[in-house]
Amino acid sequence: MIFHVLTLFPEMIRDAASHSILGRAAKAGLIDVRAINIRDFAINKHGQVDDAPYGGGAGMVMMAPPIYDAYVHAKKNAAIENPRVIFLSPQGSVLTQAKAQQLSAEKEIILVCGHYEGPDERIIEEIVTEEISVGDYVLTGGEPAALVLIDAVSRLIPGVLGKDESHQNESFSHENLLEHPHYTRPPVFRGREVPEILLSGHHGKIEEWRREKSVERTKTKRPDLRRAD
Ligand code: 4FN
């Protein structure tokens, strides 16, 4: 899957996507994260990409032409005709596992990251097909949000997770349940013992215990998860 990311901070995207599972997936050709620097499409030799807001007030607005030209550049190098264009925005609907699943079926998507006060509204009207948020808090820019989306979507692409890593998929996460507690050696840590059942070797009983813990934790820690998807 190809992710074209239109951003003023391409190194943030390239660096974060170069490590661990995403880095390995890129090497294997399963994902391709292409950060496009909006500043390369600045309107003048000073590299200007933002301007004061019409109507006055504090802060700067990202100008439409540089973002549009970066978008045209991304499309020129696109494999498909009309890729979805997602603007990461606090005004979008909040990213869910179901949405990530849906996006993981795409061949290619274009992501737009905001900065300052965000882009000129006309860029949203002209090129954006949907707005997605990663949660309700203030960010300094859309890049961390784009990386969250890339991470959540990439791990669902067949082959991206190794055998061990994809074990997680076979647990209860697809039912929107939290993980049961995990333990590894040593058997006693500062007087705290590993639950006896996990040392019993009764795989049926262990599975039953884990599901119980999973359901119980979801109910007490994240009761909101039961309804969400
Ligand atoms: N954020 C809120 C209300 C008003 C503004 C913000 C805010 C980065 C360009 C957008 C934030 C959160 C989740 C992108 C937040 C996201 C962003 C995201 C984001 C700079 C303008 C801005 C009511 C949510 C607290 C800054 C609420 N998911 N403005 O954060 O891009 O994708």
Side-chain angles (χ1 to χ4, degrees):
M1 178 167 183
I2 304 171
F3 298 92
H4 303 267
V5 187
L6 315 188
T7 170
L8 285 172
F9 298 93
E11 291 309 323
M12 276 181 82
I13 302 294
R14 286 189 199 115
D15 182 67
S18 73
H19 302 279
S20 183
I21 295 169
L22 296 193
R24 187 184 63 201
K27 265 193 171 165
L30 294 167
I31 63 168
D32 185 0
V33 179
R34 301 187 192 167
I36 295 143
N37 191 349
I38 294 168
R39 204 172 295 282
D40 290 348
F41 304 89
I43 60 155
N44 57 30
K45 60 180 184 299
H46 310 294
Q48 189 182 351
V49 292
D50 59 349
D51 207 340
Y54 277 123
M60 295 293 267
V61 176
M62 294 172 83
M63 304 172 82
I67 303 175
Y68 186 77
D69 291 349
Y71 159 79
V72 169
H73 175 84
K75 283 238 310 190
K76 211 165 44 214
N77 296 305
I80 63 174
E81 192 67 38
N82 279 312
R84 291 163 80 164
V85 181
I86 299 169
F87 174 42
L88 282 307
S89 162
Q91 301 187 21
S93 48
V94 176
L95 182 63
T96 60
Q97 188 61 18
K99 186 75 185 177
Q101 201 86 56
Q102 191 207 331
L103 289 171
S104 71
E106 297 290 327
K107 269 194 73 170
E108 186 166 29
I109 55 176
I110 300 177
L111 302 175
V112 184
C113 302
H115 240 86
Y116 318 117
E117 302 305 313
D120 187 305
E121 187 65 21
R122 294 167 294 181
I123 207 66
I124 297 155
E125 297 167 1
E126 184 69 19
I127 70 170
V128 170
T129 62
E130 63 210 286
E131 294 179 85
I132 295 179
S133 167
V134 297
D136 297 338
Y137 30 75
V138 180
L139 293 178
T140 60
E143 287 78 12
L147 288 163
V148 166
L149 185 147
I150 291 168
D151 190 282
V153 170
S154 295
R155 63 178 292 290
L156 295 173
I157 295 168
V160 166
L161 295 186
K163 230 188 171 64
D164 264 24
E165 295 153 354
S166 61
H167 228 220
Q168 194 97 323
N169 289 348
E170 289 151 42
S171 81
F172 316 124
S173 71
H174 62 279
E175 297 174 57
N176 248 18
L177 288 175
L178 296 176
E179 292 275 304
H180 54 77
H182 304 285
Y183 298 88
T184 186
R185 288 181 289 184
V188 184
F189 171 67
R190 296 178 66 84
R192 298 172 193 274
E193 293 183 357
V194 172
E196 206 176 279
I197 182 80
L198 299 178
L199 310 174
S200 71
H202 292 125
H203 296 298
K205 286 243 186 270
I206 290 171
E207 206 47 25
E208 196 183 329
W209 179 87
R210 285 178 169 166
R211 168 161 274 279
E212 239 170 62
K213 289 289 173 194
S214 209
V215 169
E216 169 195 298
R217 286 195 148 185
T218 309
K219 220 164 115 184
T220 60
K221 294 178 131 180
R222 292 292 310 278
D224 56 302
L225 271 183
R226 309 212 83 188
R227 282 165 295 276
D229 78 292

